[in-house]
Amino acid sequence: MSLLKIFVPSVFIAGCCLSAQPLSKPTATPDPHHILTIDVPFVLVPVHVTTMIGRPLTKLELNNFHVFDQGVEHAIKTFTRDDTAISVGVLFDSSGSMRNKMYKCVDAVSAFLKTANDADEHFLVEFGDRPKLSVPFTANSADLSNRIAKIKPFGRTAMFDAIQVALKQMKSAKNTRKAIVVFSDGGDNNSRRNIREIRRLLAESDIQVYAVGIFDEVERPKPTKEEISGPIVLDELASLTGGNHLRANLRNLSAISIEIGNELRSRYLLGYYPSSEVRDGKYHRVKVTVTSNEQLPDLRISYRPGYYAASF
């Protein structure tokens, strides 16, 4: 949730995709003791719409969408369907289990990064025993590919801690749209943070989680607990944030990575003002529906299902 801050004599929007010019040009610096400040909640909801076979629908209009907050429909005030700039954190699993998959994973991450546009920015967090911010935000995505090509897999998997590092880094993002893309072959087995803490942190953020799950084509006779829980955890975190988790193997890894990149490019961004009672600090459930005057097939709609309201 973003906040619209109104200052006399100017108006601007912080943390969302709208902007407005000052109402009038001040003739002198205003006295800070006489500035009126009003915080107005503003909610942004990224939405992805596909057919049942996964074909994105990218030509829908504003009047095709309806947004409900706590069961009450709200007027959509902003609507964007362009290939808007995104701030993306790439989380790369560098644990020992990735050793025989590295050559394919380097190609897959490079393929994903090639779907970016010039206004995007990326950072890289690699995680084995511990997470490490190895490439801060950069407009040169080749820096990430070059770094990943030098990784020597080792140790266990601290994915939850890596997500925490990524959320901290994302505070310096310059773009309104933000996403984390995880490349991993299994569940967490070495983090100090647990799944409950990560769920809460993600629910309080405006960041979507996408995942490329890299799994063996042939199931092992005795899979570990982490191998069993890994896909379930990635599904949960993606669903919680309105992102997506696609499972891959070494044969289709690059194609799946490109699909994730393209999905990031085919989202609508809806913005609305919730009711005045939104400052309750509670979790608010969001529902998005799509209607059309044309004959459309059955649709799949993915979006962030809720947010925590401010309590101040």
Side-chain angles (χ1 to χ4, degrees):
M1 181 176 66
S2 302
L3 294 178
L4 171 62
K5 295 180 179 288
I6 304 178
F7 297 90
V8 177
S10 63
V11 178
F12 69 92
I13 293 178
C16 65
C17 61
L18 299 178
S19 61
Q21 297 300 319
L23 299 176
S24 61
K25 185 175 181 180
T27 56
T29 302
D31 183 345
H33 297 290
H34 293 87
I35 295 179
L36 172 64
T37 302
I38 306 174
D39 289 333
V40 181
F42 189 78
V43 179
L44 294 171
V45 185
V47 181
H48 187 233
V49 184
T50 70
T51 64
M52 293 302 288
I53 61 173
R55 182 176 64 84
L57 295 179
T58 58
K59 296 183 179 180
L60 298 173
E61 303 291 342
L62 169 61
N63 58 9
N64 295 128
F65 292 89
H66 300 271
V67 175
F68 300 83
D69 188 315
Q70 298 290 73
V72 178
E73 184 169 6
H74 288 65
I76 299 171
K77 296 300 184 181
T78 64
F79 175 79
T80 305
R81 62 179 178 183
D82 298 328
D83 184 4
T84 54
I86 311 175
S87 297
V88 180
V90 174
L91 275 59
F92 188 84
D93 187 343
S94 60
S95 63
S97 61
M98 293 285 286
R99 188 172 295 109
N100 296 328
K101 306 169 185 176
M102 282 299 298
Y103 70 102
K104 287 286 187 179
C105 290
V106 172
D107 292 342
V109 175
S110 296
F112 165 76
L113 293 171
K114 287 178 181 177
T115 66
N117 66 31
D118 293 339
D120 290 348
E121 59 177 356
H122 298 81
F123 66 84
L124 173 65
V125 174
E126 54 188 87
F127 58 97
D129 284 335
R130 298 177 181 178
K132 175 184 177 182
L133 176 64
S134 51
V135 180
F137 269 123
T138 177
N140 184 7
S141 60
D143 292 347
L144 279 71
S145 298
N146 293 337
R147 170 57 197 167
I148 291 173
K150 298 176 182 178
I151 291 176
K152 298 186 183 301
F154 176 80
R156 306 184 76 189
T157 308
M159 184 178 70
F160 297 152
D161 289 349
I163 293 175
Q164 181 186 17
V165 171
L167 292 175
K168 181 178 180 180
Q169 176 68 9
M170 199 65 80
K171 292 179 179 179
S172 60
K174 68 179 183 181
N175 297 317
T176 300
R177 285 205 57 199
K178 308 175 186 69
I180 290 172
V181 181
V182 182
F183 290 81
S184 180
D185 69 344
D188 189 291
N189 58 18
N190 207 56
S191 283
R192 290 178 293 179
R193 289 278 186 176
N194 59 46
I195 182 64
R196 292 184 299 277
E197 293 172 304
I198 294 304
R199 282 196 210 104
R200 176 75 190 201
L201 289 173
L202 287 172
E204 293 174 345
S205 76
D206 58 352
I207 300 166
Q208 293 179 285
V209 174
Y210 291 80
V212 178
I214 309 164
F215 305 110
D216 293 331
E217 297 180 69
V218 179
E219 293 186 3
R220 299 183 185 181
K222 294 183 179 181
T224 65
K225 178 181 177 181
E226 291 77 24
E227 288 172 331
I228 296 173
S229 66
I232 298 173
V233 169
L234 293 176
D235 282 342
E236 179 181 354
L237 297 182
S239 297
L240 174 68
T241 60
N244 196 9
H245 167 217
L246 297 180
R247 305 187 186 195
N249 54 55
L250 293 182
R251 291 182 295 108
N252 66 2
L253 183 54
S254 289
I256 292 296
S257 301
I258 292 172
E259 186 174 345
I260 287 287
N262 290 337
E263 182 170 327
L264 276 168
R265 305 287 159 203
S266 58
R267 296 226 157 199
Y268 300 90
L269 191 62
L270 315 179
Y272 69 94
Y273 295 103
S275 61
S276 59
E277 294 80 15
V278 74
R279 295 174 176 277
D280 54 14
K282 297 179 180 179
Y283 187 76
H284 285 238
R285 296 193 178 278
V286 174
K287 180 180 179 180
V288 178
T289 62
V290 177
T291 59
S292 176
N293 296 327
E294 301 177 3
Q295 286 293 107
L296 287 177
D298 292 335
L299 302 179
R300 288 181 176 176
I301 309 170
S302 62
Y303 54 89
R304 190 180 192 90
Y307 63 93
Y308 278 97
S311 57
F312 54 89

